[in-house]
Amino acid sequence: AASHAGVEQASYSLLLKRTLLFSDFQVGLLYGVIGVWVGALAVISGHLFDRHQRIVMVLSGSILLSGIFQWLTAYASGLWGLLGIRLVHTLGDAFYLTLNAILISLVFPNERMGGNFGVIHTIHILAVFAGALSSGFINSYYGYRYSFALSGIVMISVAVSLALNRNKLNRALAL
């Protein structure tokens, strides 16, 4: 799921400027609104986890939501349509990011938390790198929209896999 961040880092601004022909102000507006939105959602997602703790299904749902709207980003055409798509996409992202940190604390023993977090963070960064590298390749041959579509399809596949294996994952997490 982290690979989609690489696609966004390598392709999002280019999609906005070169494909959708947004002005600098429009690009800044999108980043500003989305940034405030994700910050607010992080607080809400953490609070909801404290109350319900259905981590695998919420994680699967958040990746599915993020993936569907990552894919739909490829078909956006105007500022307000894209803003709506990205607001829903980042709703999934905010829950995923919060749950990712919670999963690390559930899986690894406290006495090795630092080193294990470092390993997970390294894997996350490598996935971002792979997403950026692959989207650069895709963008050069097919355009910016295709990397978003493919990234969304990968995320949808991951979400379905998580949902189908939720009982096994919940047992492994002892939830």
Side-chain angles (χ1 to χ4, degrees):
S3 65
H4 96 279
V7 172
E8 292 171 349
Q9 290 175 6
S11 305
Y12 187 56
S13 291
L14 295 169
L15 174 76
L16 298 178
K17 293 293 288 178
R18 294 185 179 173
T19 302
L20 299 175
L21 304 175
F22 285 3
S23 70
D24 292 342
F25 176 77
Q26 290 171 315
V27 172
L29 178 67
L30 283 168
Y31 273 100
V33 169
I34 297 300
V36 170
W37 172 248
V38 171
L41 287 173
V43 173
I44 294 167
S45 64
H47 177 71
L48 287 175
F49 174 78
D50 288 342
R51 298 187 69 198
H52 300 290
Q53 298 190 10
R54 295 185 54 185
I55 195 163
V56 175
M57 283 309 294
V58 174
L59 182 64
S60 175
S62 67
I63 293 172
L64 178 66
L65 188 66
S66 186
I68 290 169
F69 285 87
Q70 179 83 338
W71 173 66
L72 288 174
T73 298
Y75 303 99
S77 59
L79 176 67
W80 301 114
L82 181 65
L83 179 60
I85 288 169
R86 298 308 289 178
L87 286 173
V88 180
H89 166 79
T90 52
L91 174 65
D93 282 358
F95 277 79
Y96 162 76
L97 290 171
T98 300
L99 293 176
N100 192 38
I102 292 168
L103 271 172
I104 292 169
S105 70
L106 291 174
V107 171
F108 297 114
N110 288 336
E111 60 274 0
R112 298 203 43 214
M113 184 63 67
N116 289 320
F117 179 77
V119 169
I120 296 300
H121 190 64
T122 299
I123 293 168
H124 178 88
I125 295 300
L126 290 173
V128 171
F129 171 76
L133 185 64
S134 63
S135 71
F137 176 79
I138 292 166
N139 294 343
S140 67
Y141 287 98
Y142 304 106
Y144 302 108
R145 294 180 187 271
Y146 285 94
S147 57
F148 281 92
L150 184 58
S151 172
I153 291 167
V154 168
M155 292 180 73
I156 291 166
S157 301
V158 168
V160 169
S161 177
L162 283 171
L164 291 175
N165 292 294
R166 69 183 173 276
N167 292 333
K168 185 177 184 179
L169 293 169
N170 281 329
R171 280 192 302 275
L173 293 170
L175 293 174

